[in-house]
Amino acid sequence: MKALVAVKRVLDYNVKARVKPDGTGIDLANVKMSMNPFDEIAVEEAVRLKEKGVVTEVIAVSCGVTQCQETLRTAMAIGADRAILVECADELQPLAVAKLLKALVDKEQPGLVILGKQAIDDDCNQTGQMLAALADLPQATFASKVEVADGRATVTREIDGGLETVSVSLPAIVTTDLRLNEPRYVTLPNIMKAKKKPLETVKPADLGVDVAPRLKTLKVSEPPKRGAGVKVPDVATLVNKLKNEAKVI
């Protein structure tokens, strides 16, 4: 059984995002980029399933600029067998990515598709769900535990009220949450081995997908600075300020 894992190149989580002076987006010039943390968890889970003998091949996929090859090499250093880059210099919104992944799902016929539940740059949390709808496959989102056996995946997922366990037939879409696993440390020998693994590059046109954006970003701005805190003499004053000044109660 093949496992297809989608990975995204994003601004490293340790780097403070800076807004461009003209307010058109985030400044990505000369800053560290890395794999989206949720996608790193997805790759780790696919590799663990391969180590258990459930999955026979792990395919890492990324959509974006040429530099996404670095992210795919990282996925292969973790344990993916090969990679596919859908190279596109244009802005890719969740629906466009879902369409590209759907075309690759049709081509590769994986038994399991694993994605991070969201990317830390746009926080959309849409691609997995859109892919499930386009491919007409069952989905299990926000997975904190995944078990695959007898043609079904049993997924424990995190919901507002606690945990929910669902069983879906394969092929299926699974999106990963933070508590699913802890990705392994990538060693230098595995980084060197990853350089020799196959990486295929295709264009959206090759897959017959229109990636034209449907949404337009009007403005990006920094959040307002927080005001200084104040000390209050008693609970009554605190309640009064929360009610009449902050208006939160």
Side-chain angles (χ1 to χ4, degrees):
M1 181 176 74
K2 294 180 184 178
L4 189 76
V5 186
V7 298
K8 185 177 183 181
R9 178 176 180 264
V10 299
L11 182 70
D12 190 86
Y13 66 91
N14 288 313
V15 176
K16 185 182 186 320
R18 296 174 309 195
V19 177
K20 292 179 180 178
D22 58 3
T24 56
I26 301 298
D27 187 2
L28 298 179
N30 303 314
V31 295
K32 183 182 179 184
M33 306 292 284
S34 61
M35 188 189 300
N36 177 45
F38 290 101
D39 297 340
E40 197 171 0
I41 292 169
V43 176
E44 174 67 25
E45 190 63 23
V47 173
R48 290 188 185 188
L49 289 172
K50 183 186 174 186
E51 290 171 346
K52 291 176 183 177
V54 176
V55 169
T56 55
E57 184 182 30
V58 178
I59 309 164
V61 177
S62 189
C63 306
V65 295
T66 306
Q67 290 87 338
C68 290
Q69 290 185 18
E70 302 167 12
T71 308
L72 289 170
R73 293 292 178 195
T74 302
M76 289 190 285
I78 294 173
D81 298 291
R82 59 186 173 96
I84 302 172
L85 170 62
V86 183
E87 192 174 2
C88 179
D90 300 329
E91 176 195 1
L92 291 175
Q93 294 175 353
L95 180 58
V97 175
K99 288 180 178 179
L100 292 170
L101 292 177
K102 196 266 182 182
L104 291 174
V105 166
D106 291 343
K107 177 183 176 183
E108 296 289 344
Q109 295 293 309
L112 187 63
V113 183
I114 311 178
L115 309 86
K117 72 169 185 177
Q118 64 193 71
I120 62 172
D121 54 357
D122 55 21
D123 277 333
C124 282
N125 181 21
Q126 295 175 340
T127 306
Q129 293 88 330
M130 288 177 169
L131 173 60
L134 291 172
D136 194 24
L137 294 174
Q139 61 178 307
T141 55
F142 316 142
S144 60
K145 185 178 180 182
V146 177
E147 294 177 344
V148 179
D150 302 323
R152 300 190 71 84
T154 303
V155 178
T156 302
R157 56 190 304 269
E158 299 189 354
I159 58 175
D160 291 340
L163 299 175
E164 177 184 60
T165 302
V166 296
S167 178
V168 293
S169 59
L170 299 179
I173 313 292
V174 173
T175 69
T176 62
D177 213 335
L178 282 175
R179 278 159 287 279
L180 178 58
N181 62 51
E182 184 174 342
R184 68 194 66 190
Y185 177 77
V186 179
T187 61
L188 182 59
N190 286 334
I191 293 174
M192 301 307 293
K193 289 177 184 176
K195 292 181 179 181
K196 298 180 181 179
K197 292 183 179 181
L199 195 160
E200 178 187 358
T201 301
V202 298
K203 300 285 187 182
D206 300 333
L207 300 173
V209 177
D210 176 18
V211 295
R214 303 294 186 91
L215 306 173
K216 181 181 179 182
T217 301
L218 301 179
K219 185 180 180 183
V220 177
S221 60
E222 294 267 5
K225 294 188 182 299
R226 289 185 60 179
V230 296
K231 290 184 178 180
V232 293
D234 50 44
V235 174
T237 307
L238 173 63
V239 173
N240 180 58
K241 285 183 175 293
L242 290 174
K243 185 175 182 180
N244 299 316
E245 293 182 21
K247 299 188 184 301
V248 293
I249 59 175

